[in-house]
Amino acid sequence: MQGNQAEVMWPRLVANKFLRKRLGSNSFVADFPSNDEETLIRIPSLDKQQSLSHDNKETQNYKVFASTWNVGGVAPTEDIDMEDWLHTPNTLCDIYVLGFQEIVPLRASNVLGSENNKIFTKWNSLIREALNKKTPYQDNKLRKLQSISPDNDVQISPGFRCIICKQMVGIFISVWIRSDLRPYIRHPSVSCVGCGIMGCLGNKGSVSVRFQLYETSFCFVCSHLASGGKEGDEKYRNSDVAEILSRTSFPRGPLLNLPRNILDHDRVILLGDLNYRISLPEATTRLLVERSEWNVLLENDQLRTELMQGQLFEGWNEGTIKFAPTYKYFPNSEDYYGCIRGKKGKKLRSPAWCDRIIWCGRGLKQHLYARGESKLSDHRPVKAIFSVEVRVLRTLKGIQSFFLSERFERITSHFEMSLNDCFLCSSR
């Protein structure tokens, strides 16, 4: 009887997961309500009646930190060095976008069952603590912001808040922004695309987030593409990318003027375990890695080949790689998996730059492209820092001091939640 029940339940579980992942959930976790209708003061926005001339807009530059890390289903430890990973002792950015893969093991119960938020809550807690920890650099940055404020009443809020946080099976993305910029964030939304089992489950695929800062739209895509080191496996990864670009869809908004697709946004960054390998014999790859001959290896890197051909990745860019391959390491070790024969005679995977960050469009300039050295998993994290151009209406300059003032802080204090709490909010 139990066997028959299991046979009946299995297709139902698969079908339920299939339908849910095909549609994608637009709910996400954040520190603030996401409904634009609930905003106390409506921010003016560009519409068809307003000119884009230099008379009513200007460009401001902001720093964006983006990172990707396949943590291999390993929960974070209490002594993990988050500050080194987030680069906070040296640089304070305005926006932090952190993408994870395999925050839970990719076993059937996790792929077909409901998401367990205990792990991502722990990651978010560590991120919050690291970003909001006061350092001499952060104090200097805050004093500079205070000194250029046009109003003596201005009290710029230190620290960072989470504006979007979303998990799909093992893929997880968390977006943090400087607290004083939060009033200028609008239209946050998410879109999930499953490319795994049956072509739709979330063991592989992407979680994309979008929002608008002032008059500039952002889209960040956290991906985990098809694995495999055999010749021709890169075609499956290319197929996943094509699916993600075509199936990702965001709400158009009440005025139907918001970007729907990934490439419709002004600033686009794709990060993740893209799983592209090096098209060389394993022995040759290992020898070149030992010699640190990155340029020779990159000439045979599958993603670089795709970027240069400009078909699937037309218009995409990647910074110069000057760091060692990020995969595959022995756990808690600086050693790559060696050419060790298993019981079935299968070789272990050779080193590769599986973890990458690429971007599309203008208005983005990369200043850092590096890897972290945490030994938590068999991957090393990869991070990048960008300066990003953002369009700002001059009419917003007049109300900016109000948003940063003590008066505004008093008004919003009744609605602000504790830093340690999150709540579920849905995009409408």
Side-chain angles (χ1 to χ4, degrees), residues 303-417:
L303 179 58
R304 279 295 168 96
T305 299
E306 296 295 335
L307 289 168
M308 291 176 63
Q309 288 179 352
Q311 296 177 4
L312 179 63
F313 290 100
E314 182 179 1
W316 290 85
N317 305 280
E318 184 180 27
T320 302
I321 292 179
K322 297 181 179 180
F323 50 86
T326 56
Y327 174 83
K328 177 178 173 75
Y329 285 90
F330 280 108
N332 300 310
S333 170
E334 295 181 356
D335 299 323
Y336 291 103
Y337 267 70
C339 186
I340 302 174
R341 299 278 180 174
K343 293 182 179 180
K344 297 183 180 180
K346 292 183 178 180
K347 292 184 179 181
L348 297 174
R349 294 166 177 81
S350 59
W353 286 284
C354 289
D355 311 278
R356 311 288 274 270
I357 302 173
I358 61 178
W359 74 93
C360 185
R362 301 178 180 178
L364 285 158
K365 182 179 180 181
Q366 192 178 73
H367 299 280
L368 172 75
Y369 196 26
R371 61 173 242 175
E373 297 303 330
S374 173
K375 303 179 182 65
L376 182 71
S377 77
D378 54 356
H379 289 251
R380 295 294 183 263
V382 171
K383 53 190 174 183
I385 294 177
F386 298 88
S387 60
V388 182
E389 295 179 359
V390 175
R391 296 190 306 274
V392 181
L393 284 179
R394 291 186 185 275
T395 53
L396 289 178
K397 300 293 285 184
I399 66 171
Q400 184 171 15
S401 61
F402 173 75
F403 274 117
L404 301 179
S405 68
E406 290 182 348
R407 180 186 171 201
F408 181 74
E409 289 294 326
R410 288 195 298 269
I411 293 173
T412 57
S413 63
H414 296 289
F415 302 97
E416 190 168 306
M417 299 185 64

Side-chain angles (χ1 to χ4, degrees), residues 61-107:
N61 287 317
Y62 292 90
K63 282 187 177 180
V64 174
F65 178 96
S67 183
T68 178
W69 194 1
N70 185 324
V71 294
V74 181
T77 57
E78 294 298 332
D79 61 346
I80 189 170
D81 192 347
M82 297 292 291
E83 294 178 28
D84 175 69
W85 174 36
L86 299 177
H87 219 66
T88 48
N90 306 309
T91 306
L92 186 63
C93 295
D94 303 294
I95 301 171
Y96 285 81
V97 181
L98 308 174
F100 297 81
Q101 302 81 44
E102 298 188 39
I103 63 164
V104 295
L106 299 183
R107 51 176 175 255

Side-chain angles (χ1 to χ4, degrees), residues 217 219 248 252 258-268:
S217 60
C219 183
T248 298
R252 292 298 309 278
L258 300 178
R260 178 180 291 278
N261 301 317
I262 290 174
L263 297 179
D264 294 338
H265 292 78
D266 299 317
R267 312 287 180 255
V268 181

Side-chain angles (χ1 to χ4, degrees), residues 73-169:
V74 181
T77 57
E78 294 298 332
D79 61 346
I80 189 170
D81 192 347
M82 297 292 291
E83 294 178 28
D84 175 69
W85 174 36
L86 299 177
H87 219 66
T88 48
N90 306 309
T91 306
L92 186 63
C93 295
D94 303 294
I95 301 171
Y96 285 81
V97 181
L98 308 174
F100 297 81
Q101 302 81 44
E102 298 188 39
I103 63 164
V104 295
L106 299 183
R107 51 176 175 255
S109 59
N110 288 329
V111 175
L112 296 171
S114 59
E115 273 82 18
N116 184 341
N117 62 10
K118 291 183 179 179
I119 298 298
F120 89 64
T121 300
K122 188 172 183 178
W123 277 112
N124 257 12
S125 176
L126 292 169
I127 295 166
R128 187 189 303 279
E129 181 180 354
L131 290 180
N132 290 291
K133 182 179 180 180
K134 286 190 175 182
T135 66
Y137 183 90
Q138 289 176 326
D139 289 339
N140 290 336
K141 179 85 170 180
L142 187 60
R143 280 194 292 270
K144 287 181 180 179
L145 290 171
Q146 294 279 9
S147 66
I148 63 176
S149 169
D151 193 331
N152 292 331
D153 189 38
V154 169
Q155 296 293 325
I156 296 178
S157 302
F160 291 81
R161 303 294 178 88
C162 180
I163 61 168
I164 304 177
C165 172
K166 179 66 177 178
Q167 177 186 0
M168 180 184 73
V169 188

Side-chain angles (χ1 to χ4, degrees), residues 28-40:
F28 57 88
V29 174
D31 286 342
F32 298 89
S34 67
N35 296 332
D36 294 320
E37 293 80 8
E38 296 177 4
T39 304
L40 291 176

